[in-house]
Amino acid sequence: MSVLLKQEALFLILGGLFIAEALSSQIQDKIGIKWLGRRIFSRAPFHHQMQHDGLAETKVVIRLWIVSLILALAALATLKVR
């Protein structure tokens, strides 16, 4: 839909959670392990770090749903502004 509306930047806002998850894995693999020879994060992707810190899986899922909802509302607000 954002391509049809010629507002491709909405992909970054809507997919912000997925981008953060992918970036945490890429940073861990490419920068941390290959360049530095050690881990940057204790766990990657980010949701595994939250589980490692002691949060239950259901709490992690609900918190990520909330973040996803906030990002979706932000994308809709940006769409209405333009």
Side-chain angles (χ1 to χ4, degrees):
M1 195 67 176
S2 64
V3 173
L4 292 174
L5 295 173
K6 297 182 181 176
Q7 295 183 358
E8 290 83 6
L10 289 178
F11 278 137
L12 298 176
I13 297 172
L14 279 172
L17 185 63
F18 300 111
I19 292 171
E21 292 277 336
L23 280 177
S24 69
S25 293
Q26 293 299 317
I27 288 171
Q28 181 84 317
D29 290 341
K30 306 295 184 206
I31 297 173
I33 295 175
K34 288 189 180 178
W35 287 359
L36 300 176
R38 62 178 181 86
R39 294 179 175 266
I40 294 176
F41 311 115
S42 62
R43 298 279 186 271
F46 180 67
H47 67 274
H48 288 302
Q49 173 67 36
M50 293 171 63
Q51 289 174 343
H52 180 71
D53 288 342
L55 284 176
E57 185 176 354
T58 54
K59 282 189 178 182
V60 171
V61 169
I62 290 173
R63 287 182 183 186
L64 293 179
W65 280 352
I66 292 169
V67 170
S68 180
L69 178 69
I70 291 169
L71 289 173
L73 291 175
L76 283 175
T78 325
L79 184 65
K80 295 292 183 182
V81 169
R82 295 179 185 184

